[in-house]
Amino acid sequence: MTLRIGLIGLGVVGAETARTLRAHAPMIESRAGQPVVVTEVSARDRSKDRGIDLSTYTWRDDPMAIATSADVDAVVELVGGEGGVALEAAKTALGAGKHFITANKAMIARHGASLAELAEANGASLAFEAAVAGGIPVIKALKEGLAGNRIDRVYGILNGTCNFILTEMFETGRAFDDVLAEAQALGYAEADPGFDIDGVDAAQKLAILAALAFGGAPDFDAVETSGIRHVSALDIAFAKELGYRIRLFGVAARSEMGIEQRVSACMAPASAALARIDGVTNAVMIEGSPVGQSLLVGPGAGGGATASAVIGDIVDVASGRGGRGFGAAAASLGEIPATPITARHGAYYVRLMVIDRPGVIADMAGVFGRHGVSIQSLLQHGRQPDEPVPVVMTTHETNEATIRAVAAELGALAAAVEPPILMRIESL
Ligand SMILES: NC(=O)c1ccc[n+]([C@@H]2O[C@H](COP(=O)([O-])OP(=O)(O)OC[C@H]3O[C@@H](n4cnc5c(N)ncnc54)[C@H](OP(=O)(O)O)[C@@H]3O)[C@@H](O)[C@H]2O)c1
């Protein structure tokens, strides 16, 4: 027997997957228990040089011809996008009983549950290890190694571009736009960086992790999402002074009310393992019972890291371990009960730009006091009478609804020159 692969998409990940399958063929065969051979490929431009020899593959202009081909047992989709070709290929391949492997977080975060149902109905496997944190096998960790645990919290650094930018800002004191331009020049950020820096990419990954951890359908819309555009060099400097680092965290956590899912720039104690993850590296912490805390760290993107995850799934499928996409029966993947973000309990960082005049600090403290929020620390540097100066306060535990009300009142103070900056402080 041979597992015959139809590869749709020959870009960064697709070309590397084809290259590695060929370069490591004997090792992969011994691990898979049978040869794994790419038989058919498809991309947009047949004439493009991809640095790989395409002559041994059958080229298909129409990717759907691969999804229905009699010479293909498993379809590997590496095109991307929530719908379009990727979704059509998934439905066609799974409908035809072919195994389907993808790195497509956008599609799985939206359509994962219905595709899992289709796979199950047709006796095929759906696998998407490469969709979350590239070279970190976090999906297998949740589905297999940690299957005996009740998971209480999954959180981490899920976007290398944002982590690179925040690390550089921390280390050099440079402004966001300046570091973003460098990330683009280095190829870490796209020309249109919104998908990364607005938290969308991390939110898609978090929705998938939450589904695996809490046994439901992935629900991208349930993730409260914001990015890092608003993170200033000033807040990075205050964070440093307070003993924190700012990171874009994805957090899915169990509470009494349900499951909280959110992506935002947060402060974390500089001593915490996750706060010390620098550059483009990704990291995921899984907290469960009885395991306690389990931290996975590694490369989150790039052709090699992502192809590594794709091939791991291919080997699983070839050796009969393809299993169920979310590790549970598709019929059991119901809606994950959502905890409103306003119910979040925790500490907060608040920075307000105010005109420096007597009584301002007392006015600010009065707002916190009226809402019953206790202040943990207060920072104000220098004096510039009648000029705007930053005043920073951190709080003890409160809830998000209350701190939002505090922020609204602070912004309305006569001395305030702009709305306050509010950031969650994570206890890790
Ligand atoms: N790059 C990463 O580091 C990374 C990491 C994790 C996950 N992923 C995921 O992996 C997937 C692929 O990403 P990538 O970076 O490899 O993308 P990419 O370099 O842009 O490659 C996309 C490929 O899809 C092909 N394609 C586009 N539209 C097509 C169509 N209508 N029919 C057939 N082929 C079509 C393109 O053809 P042409 O080459 O002819 O234009 C190209 O080969 C995405 O889901 C992405 O989210 C990527």
Side-chain angles (χ1 to χ4, degrees):
M1 290 285 286
T2 294
L3 185 81
R4 298 165 304 172
I5 303 288
L7 190 50
I8 305 177
L10 290 168
V12 174
V13 184
E16 187 60 38
T17 298
R19 193 178 297 117
T20 308
L21 281 172
R22 194 173 273 162
H24 294 180
M27 189 182 68
I28 288 170
E29 177 177 344
S30 88
R31 289 179 180 162
Q34 60 176 313
V36 174
V37 174
V38 176
T39 51
E40 303 191 4
V41 297
S42 180
R44 271 180 308 209
D45 180 358
R46 189 172 184 171
S47 64
K48 197 188 267 185
D49 179 7
R50 302 166 192 280
I52 47 172
D53 175 13
L54 297 179
S55 64
T56 57
Y57 311 136
T58 300
W59 178 274
R60 300 281 190 191
D61 285 325
D62 176 10
M64 293 321 130
I66 290 183
T68 52
S69 171
D71 285 332
V72 167
D73 306 304
V75 172
V76 177
E77 178 272 312
L78 298 169
V79 172
E82 191 182 310
V85 170
L87 186 60
E88 197 188 340
K91 288 179 176 170
T92 308
L94 291 169
K98 297 188 192 305
H99 305 297
F100 189 79
I101 293 155
T102 182
N104 189 332
K105 58 214 148 213
M107 179 174 71
I108 296 298
R110 285 267 185 214
H111 307 289
S114 61
L115 293 177
E117 204 175 315
L118 190 59
E120 209 170 289
N122 290 283
S125 295
L126 169 69
F128 44 85
E129 181 66 64
V132 181
I136 307 176
V138 61
I139 291 180
K140 284 195 211 309
L142 283 165
K143 268 193 338 190
E144 298 170 19
L146 298 172
N149 287 269
R150 173 195 143 107
I151 306 295
D152 292 315
R153 188 159 69 146
V154 182
Y155 56 103
I157 292 168
L158 300 172
N159 184 276
T161 305
C162 289
N163 212 55
F164 171 82
I165 292 172
L166 294 172
T167 305
E168 280 297 300
M169 287 176 73
F170 180 86
E171 283 173 2
T172 65
R174 285 153 65 205
F176 175 80
D177 289 338
D178 188 18
V179 180
L180 172 60
E182 184 193 342
Q184 287 170 318
L186 288 169
Y188 293 149
E190 303 284 332
D192 175 4
F195 188 67
D196 290 316
I197 65 175
D198 293 328
V200 178
D201 170 83
Q204 289 170 341
K205 295 168 184 167
L206 187 77
I208 297 169
L209 289 181
L212 289 152
F214 301 110
D219 182 2
F220 172 69
D221 293 327
V223 185
E224 168 87 13
T225 305
S226 60
I228 63 166
R229 281 184 205 263
H230 64 287
V231 176
S232 66
L234 187 59
D235 292 315
I236 298 251
F238 276 119
K240 201 181 241 182
E241 190 175 344
L242 289 161
Y244 295 120
R245 288 196 187 175
I246 299 177
R247 291 285 181 264
L248 184 79
F249 283 124
V251 181
R254 192 189 291 279
S255 76
E256 279 165 18
M257 275 179 280
I259 307 294
E260 172 186 334
Q261 297 183 57
R262 60 186 162 86
V263 167
S264 64
C266 299
M267 293 199 182
S271 58
L274 276 178
R276 284 184 276 120
I277 302 295
D278 288 337
V280 293
T281 302
N282 281 199
V284 183
M285 181 74 91
I286 302 168
E287 290 177 0
S289 174
V291 72
Q293 291 189 320
S294 187
L295 177 64
L296 297 130
V297 180
T306 314
S308 157
V310 170
I311 295 171
D313 280 344
I314 292 174
V315 170
D316 273 354
V317 164
S319 50
R321 298 191 309 260
R324 298 181 290 206
F326 290 90
S332 71
L333 301 176
E335 192 178 326
I336 297 177
T339 303
I341 191 67
T342 45
R344 178 207 179 242
H345 264 273
Y348 290 85
Y349 163 97
V350 185
R351 174 173 62 78
L352 189 65
M353 295 300 293
V354 290
I355 300 294
D356 190 4
R357 62 170 81 113
V360 168
I361 301 286
D363 289 348
M364 290 180 67
V367 174
F368 284 86
R370 276 196 297 285
H371 287 274
V373 177
S374 112
I375 295 167
Q376 202 221 2
S377 64
L378 184 151
L379 289 178
Q380 188 201 356
H381 296 312
R383 290 227 49 216
Q384 288 177 277
D386 294 321
E387 292 290 321
V389 290
V391 177
V392 164
M393 292 183 178
T394 62
T395 74
H396 287 291
E397 290 243 322
T398 179
N399 69 52
E400 183 121 353
T402 306
I403 200 70
R404 286 186 184 192
V406 166
E409 273 189 45
L410 289 174
L413 288 176
V417 297
E418 58 189 46
I421 296 293
L422 193 59
M423 215 175 280
R424 299 174 186 122
I425 298 176
E426 293 298 330
S427 57
L428 304 179

